[in-house]
Every structure is written in C-alpha cells, then in structure tokens.
Amino acid sequence: MTRFSASVFLVLLSSAAPAQDAPGTLLSDGQVEDRAVAETHDAPTTVGIDSDSLLPFADAEGEAAEGRALFIAGDHAAALTLLMPLAEAGNPVAQNIVGVAYTEPSGDLGLDYDAQAGFDLLLASAEQGYPRAMNNLAVMYEEAHDGIGADRTERFGWFLKAAEAGYEDSFRTVAEAYANGDGVATDDDAAFAWASRAFAEVGDADATYLMGDMHYFGIGTPPNYGKAYGYFVDAAAGGHVEAIYSLGYMTLYEEGVPSNPPAAWMMLESAAQDGSLDALSELTLMAGSGRWAGYWESDVAARGYCLALDSADYLAELGADSEVTQLCGGLAGTLSSADESAAKAIAQDFAD
C-alpha cells in the first residue's frame, strides 16, 4: 500500500473543497457514538520528559546555560558536573535539568533513576516559577513513577500552571483536558480559549488540528464542518495523520464536502499506514460492508484490516455493537486458507 505525497494530497483537497460552512453534529452513521471514543486516538498526549523541556530560557546564565547546552548535546556527565552544585544551591534551571535526569527510568541521562529525588527538584524549580519544571511535574503525574502514582487531577493542575505561566507546549494539553474532562470538569469555553491561544501563539500542525476538532464537534463554538475542514486541510498539509483521517472521513460521509469515496480511500489509507486506527476502521467498512462500491471492496483486505485492529485491541474499544466489530466477526472463518494467509500479510503490513 502506498502513501501519497503532499502535492498529490493537496490536489485531492482542491477537488473536494467545502461546499459551504455547514453546521454539523457529532460523527454520524453510528461510526463513533460519542466524543470519548472519537477522541481516544485523536488527542495527542505528552509522553516522556524530553529535550523540549530543556530549550533556552531567559533565566539561564553562565554555568547554568553552559550545563544546559552540554546536556542537550548529550554530554550528560560534563553537564551534571556543572549543574548538580547549581541545583543544590537553588538554581531553577539546574534543578529542572537534574530532576529530568533523575526521572529517566533507564538511567541514560547520567544519573541512576530516583523518582523522588527528581520530583523534589522539579517541585523546587516549579515553586520558583519555572514553567518547564511545572510541565515536567505534570508529565510525572501522567506517567506514574516509583512512589509517585499517576494522578490526572495533579497532572492537569501542573499543566495549567505551566500554561498560565506562558509555557506554550502546555496550551494544547490544557485545551484537550478541558474538552475531555480529563482531570478537571469539562469546560468547552475554556477548551476553545486555550485551543485558540495554542493556534495563535504556536500555530503548529497539532494546534491547527485541535482547532479543527473544536469546530467539528462544536466545543466552545458552534459546530461548523466548513471551518473544521479548513483547519484539517492546513494541519494535513503539515503532515498531521489524524487530520488526514478526518478529511478522509468527512469526504466519505459528505460532511461539508461532496462525497468522494476514491479520494476518501486514498486519505484513509495514507492515515492508516501512518498509524491511525480510526482510519483503518473506516477502510474496513469500505472494503467489507458493501456500502461503497468500488475497487477497494475486498473481503481479504477487510479481514486483514480486522486482524490489525484486533491486534491493537481497537475492536474491544469499539465494543461488540459497533458495525466494524460485527463485520469483523462475520468475516472470521469464512476465507480459504490462501486468502487467510493473504489477510494476515495485510495485517502485518500495518503492524510494521
């Protein structure tokens, strides 16, 4: 299966431009029954404390700046030689970096794993107003470390503090948390406000995609497929996989654009090849349900998609009543030995 290039993708989009700024509802036709399922794969999650938390900051000077540069360059031993005394003396930048080193379970950042020591340093840095440390505390509560359990409420609280302190990478996470009620009561207006700020101040593909979601689902703003489609186009042009899936879905189900199954197939296939289980689910329906007659119809392909979805536990997530799960159940045991082998090869293609 082939992915298509950005130039081909943009040509497809130009042939399926929104017919109108049509108000919409949640996903139709029973494909996704509620927002929680729809956003399981759509909402990117911050995972791991990485070098993004160590980028230049105005308060880093002298040895702190030198140590940070060495750490980012991968010379952890030399960096920690400079930073450890500074952290002990209360420098927030040094405390943040040493805290990060302690909280790496593999010990690959120059210090043996010590979650409590790392947490204490990150907290000390955060309490001095250092936004990156606030963000990293949130990540600790997300991941669950030795002696520090996962806590979605604490996670949200620290992400919000980081965002309010101007840490741009936290804006989108806060918006998603308000939209999903993740660690905080659902607040669509706050979700839209933070999503808008992420789009205005960060403007990357993730923030652009999130604005598409806001308009698609009507989170803090009237639902509008036309506006959602426009944001998804921009995010997809930046390589955002779930934006490509969303465009394929809207094109398939005629949501703000004319139905165009061939174009939808290409978008969904591209997104599925890049890991979107939502897109793979729609390919399963296109291949096996008989609802869209075309070259994509194939019980062998549908069975392969089903095997890939099942191996990722996605069918269990959809539930027994979903059309995809029922289709997959109906296909099991119906193919010849040769066709079953071909289906397994298709499934393996997606696993790879």
mmCIF file of all heavy atoms in Angstrom, residues 35-45 209 213 240 242 245 275-279 309 312-314 317-318:
data_model
loop_
_atom_site.group_PDB
_atom_site.id
_atom_site.type_symbol
_atom_site.label_atom_id
_atom_site.label_comp_id
_atom_site.label_asym_id
_atom_site.label_seq_id
_atom_site.Cartn_x
_atom_site.Cartn_y
_atom_site.Cartn_z
ATOM 1 N N ARG A 35 -18.191 11.452 21.971
ATOM 2 C CA ARG A 35 -16.923 12.166 21.864
ATOM 3 C C ARG A 35 -15.785 11.383 22.476
ATOM 4 O O ARG A 35 -14.672 11.400 21.986
ATOM 5 C CB ARG A 35 -17.051 13.525 22.540
ATOM 6 C CG ARG A 35 -15.783 14.356 22.452
ATOM 7 C CD ARG A 35 -15.887 15.634 23.252
ATOM 8 N NE ARG A 35 -16.976 16.461 22.794
ATOM 9 C CZ ARG A 35 -17.376 17.544 23.444
ATOM 10 N NH1 ARG A 35 -16.787 17.907 24.556
ATOM 11 N NH2 ARG A 35 -18.368 18.281 22.982
ATOM 12 N N ALA A 36 -16.031 10.666 23.563
ATOM 13 C CA ALA A 36 -14.944 9.982 24.253
ATOM 14 C C ALA A 36 -14.255 8.974 23.348
ATOM 15 O O ALA A 36 -13.036 8.899 23.291
ATOM 16 C CB ALA A 36 -15.488 9.278 25.496
ATOM 17 N N VAL A 37 -15.033 8.202 22.601
ATOM 18 C CA VAL A 37 -14.428 7.231 21.697
ATOM 19 C C VAL A 37 -13.728 7.941 20.554
ATOM 20 O O VAL A 37 -12.623 7.605 20.158
ATOM 21 C CB VAL A 37 -15.501 6.268 21.151
ATOM 22 C CG1 VAL A 37 -14.899 5.352 20.096
ATOM 23 C CG2 VAL A 37 -16.100 5.447 22.283
ATOM 24 N N ALA A 38 -14.357 8.986 20.035
ATOM 25 C CA ALA A 38 -13.777 9.701 18.896
ATOM 26 C C ALA A 38 -12.417 10.261 19.235
ATOM 27 O O ALA A 38 -11.521 10.293 18.393
ATOM 28 C CB ALA A 38 -14.708 10.826 18.454
ATOM 29 N N GLU A 39 -12.234 10.710 20.456
ATOM 30 C CA GLU A 39 -11.005 11.407 20.795
ATOM 31 C C GLU A 39 -9.941 10.502 21.384
ATOM 32 O O GLU A 39 -8.852 10.943 21.706
ATOM 33 C CB GLU A 39 -11.318 12.550 21.769
ATOM 34 C CG GLU A 39 -12.146 13.624 21.112
ATOM 35 C CD GLU A 39 -12.518 14.755 22.047
ATOM 36 O OE1 GLU A 39 -12.328 14.625 23.259
ATOM 37 O OE2 GLU A 39 -12.998 15.770 21.543
ATOM 38 N N THR A 40 -10.237 9.205 21.530
ATOM 39 C CA THR A 40 -9.248 8.315 22.110
ATOM 40 C C THR A 40 -7.950 8.337 21.329
ATOM 41 O O THR A 40 -6.867 8.366 21.883
ATOM 42 C CB THR A 40 -9.792 6.875 22.145
ATOM 43 O OG1 THR A 40 -10.960 6.853 22.958
ATOM 44 C CG2 THR A 40 -8.762 5.914 22.708
ATOM 45 N N HIS A 41 -8.055 8.351 20.009
ATOM 46 C CA HIS A 41 -6.856 8.349 19.189
ATOM 47 C C HIS A 41 -6.545 9.725 18.622
ATOM 48 O O HIS A 41 -5.482 9.940 18.095
ATOM 49 C CB HIS A 41 -7.007 7.333 18.057
ATOM 50 C CG HIS A 41 -7.151 5.944 18.565
ATOM 51 N ND1 HIS A 41 -6.086 5.205 19.023
ATOM 52 C CD2 HIS A 41 -8.242 5.159 18.747
ATOM 53 C CE1 HIS A 41 -6.498 4.031 19.431
ATOM 54 N NE2 HIS A 41 -7.803 3.973 19.276
ATOM 55 N N ASP A 42 -7.493 10.633 18.761
ATOM 56 C CA ASP A 42 -7.278 11.938 18.170
ATOM 57 C C ASP A 42 -6.474 12.871 19.055
ATOM 58 O O ASP A 42 -5.844 13.794 18.584
ATOM 59 C CB ASP A 42 -8.627 12.619 17.873
ATOM 60 C CG ASP A 42 -9.353 11.915 16.749
ATOM 61 O OD1 ASP A 42 -8.723 11.076 16.089
ATOM 62 O OD2 ASP A 42 -10.529 12.201 16.540
ATOM 63 N N ALA A 43 -6.528 12.667 20.340
ATOM 64 C CA ALA A 43 -5.934 13.634 21.241
ATOM 65 C C ALA A 43 -4.499 13.277 21.551
ATOM 66 O O ALA A 43 -4.239 12.325 22.271
ATOM 67 C CB ALA A 43 -6.734 13.705 22.548
ATOM 68 N N PRO A 44 -3.523 13.989 21.011
ATOM 69 C CA PRO A 44 -2.133 13.697 21.310
ATOM 70 C C PRO A 44 -1.844 13.899 22.787
ATOM 71 O O PRO A 44 -2.391 14.785 23.421
ATOM 72 C CB PRO A 44 -1.357 14.717 20.469
ATOM 73 C CG PRO A 44 -2.329 15.179 19.448
ATOM 74 C CD PRO A 44 -3.672 15.102 20.083
ATOM 75 N N THR A 45 -1.020 13.057 23.338
ATOM 76 C CA THR A 45 -0.717 13.110 24.756
ATOM 77 C C THR A 45 0.769 13.342 24.959
ATOM 78 O O THR A 45 1.591 12.742 24.275
ATOM 79 C CB THR A 45 -1.115 11.789 25.432
ATOM 80 O OG1 THR A 45 -2.498 11.556 25.187
ATOM 81 C CG2 THR A 45 -0.868 11.838 26.921
ATOM 82 N N TYR A 209 -4.835 21.261 14.032
ATOM 83 C CA TYR A 209 -5.765 20.129 14.076
ATOM 84 C C TYR A 209 -6.753 20.279 15.228
ATOM 85 O O TYR A 209 -7.948 20.000 15.077
ATOM 86 C CB TYR A 209 -4.985 18.826 14.222
ATOM 87 C CG TYR A 209 -5.872 17.652 14.522
ATOM 88 C CD1 TYR A 209 -6.638 17.061 13.520
ATOM 89 C CD2 TYR A 209 -5.964 17.142 15.815
ATOM 90 C CE1 TYR A 209 -7.470 16.005 13.801
ATOM 91 C CE2 TYR A 209 -6.796 16.074 16.095
ATOM 92 C CZ TYR A 209 -7.544 15.511 15.092
ATOM 93 O OH TYR A 209 -8.385 14.459 15.371
ATOM 94 N N ASP A 213 -10.871 20.176 15.386
ATOM 95 C CA ASP A 213 -11.707 19.382 16.290
ATOM 96 C C ASP A 213 -12.734 20.256 17.014
ATOM 97 O O ASP A 213 -13.890 19.867 17.177
ATOM 98 C CB ASP A 213 -10.826 18.699 17.333
ATOM 99 C CG ASP A 213 -10.738 17.198 17.118
ATOM 100 O OD1 ASP A 213 -11.237 16.703 16.085
ATOM 101 O OD2 ASP A 213 -10.168 16.508 17.983
ATOM 102 N N HIS A 240 -0.050 16.102 9.618
ATOM 103 C CA HIS A 240 -0.776 15.597 10.783
ATOM 104 C C HIS A 240 -1.647 14.405 10.375
ATOM 105 O O HIS A 240 -2.581 14.535 9.590
ATOM 106 C CB HIS A 240 -1.639 16.704 11.388
ATOM 107 C CG HIS A 240 -2.096 16.412 12.784
ATOM 108 N ND1 HIS A 240 -3.082 15.492 13.065
ATOM 109 C CD2 HIS A 240 -1.695 16.908 13.977
ATOM 110 C CE1 HIS A 240 -3.278 15.446 14.371
ATOM 111 N NE2 HIS A 240 -2.436 16.281 14.946
ATOM 112 N N GLU A 242 -3.901 12.426 11.976
ATOM 113 C CA GLU A 242 -5.319 12.389 12.297
ATOM 114 C C GLU A 242 -6.101 13.451 11.531
ATOM 115 O O GLU A 242 -7.313 13.317 11.324
ATOM 116 C CB GLU A 242 -5.532 12.536 13.807
ATOM 117 C CG GLU A 242 -5.076 11.321 14.596
ATOM 118 C CD GLU A 242 -5.756 10.028 14.175
ATOM 119 O OE1 GLU A 242 -6.924 10.070 13.756
ATOM 120 O OE2 GLU A 242 -5.106 8.968 14.260
ATOM 121 N N TYR A 245 -6.876 11.651 8.389
ATOM 122 C CA TYR A 245 -8.020 10.764 8.668
ATOM 123 C C TYR A 245 -9.329 11.548 8.692
ATOM 124 O O TYR A 245 -10.330 11.134 8.098
ATOM 125 C CB TYR A 245 -7.828 10.047 10.008
ATOM 126 C CG TYR A 245 -9.135 9.669 10.657
ATOM 127 C CD1 TYR A 245 -9.947 8.677 10.105
ATOM 128 C CD2 TYR A 245 -9.583 10.330 11.809
ATOM 129 C CE1 TYR A 245 -11.165 8.359 10.676
ATOM 130 C CE2 TYR A 245 -10.793 10.014 12.385
ATOM 131 C CZ TYR A 245 -11.581 9.026 11.811
ATOM 132 O OH TYR A 245 -12.793 8.716 12.375
ATOM 133 N N GLY A 275 -0.482 4.920 11.059
ATOM 134 C CA GLY A 275 -0.813 4.550 12.428
ATOM 135 C C GLY A 275 -2.187 4.913 12.929
ATOM 136 O O GLY A 275 -2.495 4.641 14.096
ATOM 137 N N SER A 276 -3.050 5.517 12.121
ATOM 138 C CA SER A 276 -4.379 5.889 12.591
ATOM 139 C C SER A 276 -5.310 4.682 12.584
ATOM 140 O O SER A 276 -5.705 4.185 11.521
ATOM 141 C CB SER A 276 -4.975 7.001 11.726
ATOM 142 O OG SER A 276 -6.344 7.220 12.071
ATOM 143 N N LEU A 277 -5.675 4.206 13.771
ATOM 144 C CA LEU A 277 -6.615 3.092 13.869
ATOM 145 C C LEU A 277 -8.021 3.528 13.471
ATOM 146 O O LEU A 277 -8.804 2.710 12.977
ATOM 147 C CB LEU A 277 -6.604 2.532 15.290
ATOM 148 C CG LEU A 277 -5.282 1.893 15.721
ATOM 149 C CD1 LEU A 277 -5.347 1.472 17.179
ATOM 150 C CD2 LEU A 277 -4.924 0.705 14.845
ATOM 151 N N ASP A 278 -8.345 4.785 13.696
ATOM 152 C CA ASP A 278 -9.636 5.303 13.243
ATOM 153 C C ASP A 278 -9.747 5.161 11.725
ATOM 154 O O ASP A 278 -10.782 4.742 11.195
ATOM 155 C CB ASP A 278 -9.796 6.776 13.627
ATOM 156 C CG ASP A 278 -9.872 6.984 15.123
ATOM 157 O OD1 ASP A 278 -10.482 6.145 15.804
ATOM 158 O OD2 ASP A 278 -9.315 7.974 15.611
ATOM 159 N N ALA A 279 -8.691 5.516 11.013
ATOM 160 C CA ALA A 279 -8.693 5.412 9.556
ATOM 161 C C ALA A 279 -8.779 3.951 9.122
ATOM 162 O O ALA A 279 -9.506 3.614 8.174
ATOM 163 C CB ALA A 279 -7.445 6.071 8.977
ATOM 164 N N LEU A 309 -6.696 -4.417 13.480
ATOM 165 C CA LEU A 309 -7.444 -3.719 14.515
ATOM 166 C C LEU A 309 -7.528 -4.546 15.794
ATOM 167 O O LEU A 309 -7.397 -4.025 16.904
ATOM 168 C CB LEU A 309 -8.854 -3.396 14.019
ATOM 169 C CG LEU A 309 -8.974 -2.341 12.920
ATOM 170 C CD1 LEU A 309 -10.390 -2.317 12.359
ATOM 171 C CD2 LEU A 309 -8.585 -0.957 13.448
ATOM 172 N N ALA A 312 -4.430 -4.580 17.879
ATOM 173 C CA ALA A 312 -4.240 -3.320 18.605
ATOM 174 C C ALA A 312 -5.323 -3.091 19.651
ATOM 175 O O ALA A 312 -5.397 -1.998 20.239
ATOM 176 C CB ALA A 312 -4.231 -2.161 17.610
ATOM 177 N N ASP A 313 -6.169 -4.103 19.882
ATOM 178 C CA ASP A 313 -7.267 -4.028 20.862
ATOM 179 C C ASP A 313 -8.291 -2.957 20.524
ATOM 180 O O ASP A 313 -9.040 -2.507 21.394
ATOM 181 C CB ASP A 313 -6.725 -3.785 22.283
ATOM 182 C CG ASP A 313 -5.879 -4.947 22.781
ATOM 183 O OD1 ASP A 313 -6.209 -6.105 22.444
ATOM 184 O OD2 ASP A 313 -4.909 -4.704 23.511
ATOM 185 N N TYR A 314 -8.326 -2.548 19.256
ATOM 186 C CA TYR A 314 -9.255 -1.486 18.868
ATOM 187 C C TYR A 314 -10.683 -1.997 18.760
ATOM 188 O O TYR A 314 -11.633 -1.268 19.053
ATOM 189 C CB TYR A 314 -8.805 -0.876 17.544
ATOM 190 C CG TYR A 314 -9.570 0.361 17.151
ATOM 191 C CD1 TYR A 314 -9.313 1.585 17.761
ATOM 192 C CD2 TYR A 314 -10.554 0.317 16.164
ATOM 193 C CE1 TYR A 314 -10.006 2.724 17.393
ATOM 194 C CE2 TYR A 314 -11.253 1.460 15.797
ATOM 195 C CZ TYR A 314 -10.976 2.659 16.411
ATOM 196 O OH TYR A 314 -11.667 3.787 16.060
ATOM 197 N N GLU A 317 -12.219 -1.872 22.050
ATOM 198 C CA GLU A 317 -12.526 -0.485 22.397
ATOM 199 C C GLU A 317 -13.829 -0.028 21.742
ATOM 200 O O GLU A 317 -14.642 0.664 22.367
ATOM 201 C CB GLU A 317 -11.373 0.413 21.950
ATOM 202 C CG GLU A 317 -11.544 1.877 22.277
ATOM 203 C CD GLU A 317 -10.381 2.702 21.772
ATOM 204 O OE1 GLU A 317 -9.240 2.216 21.824
ATOM 205 O OE2 GLU A 317 -10.623 3.824 21.323
ATOM 206 N N LEU A 318 -14.037 -0.422 20.496
ATOM 207 C CA LEU A 318 -15.274 -0.045 19.812
ATOM 208 C C LEU A 318 -16.487 -0.713 20.437
ATOM 209 O O LEU A 318 -17.574 -0.135 20.472
ATOM 210 C CB LEU A 318 -15.189 -0.427 18.332
ATOM 211 C CG LEU A 318 -14.260 0.401 17.447
ATOM 212 C CD1 LEU A 318 -14.265 -0.160 16.032
ATOM 213 C CD2 LEU A 318 -14.669 1.870 17.437
#
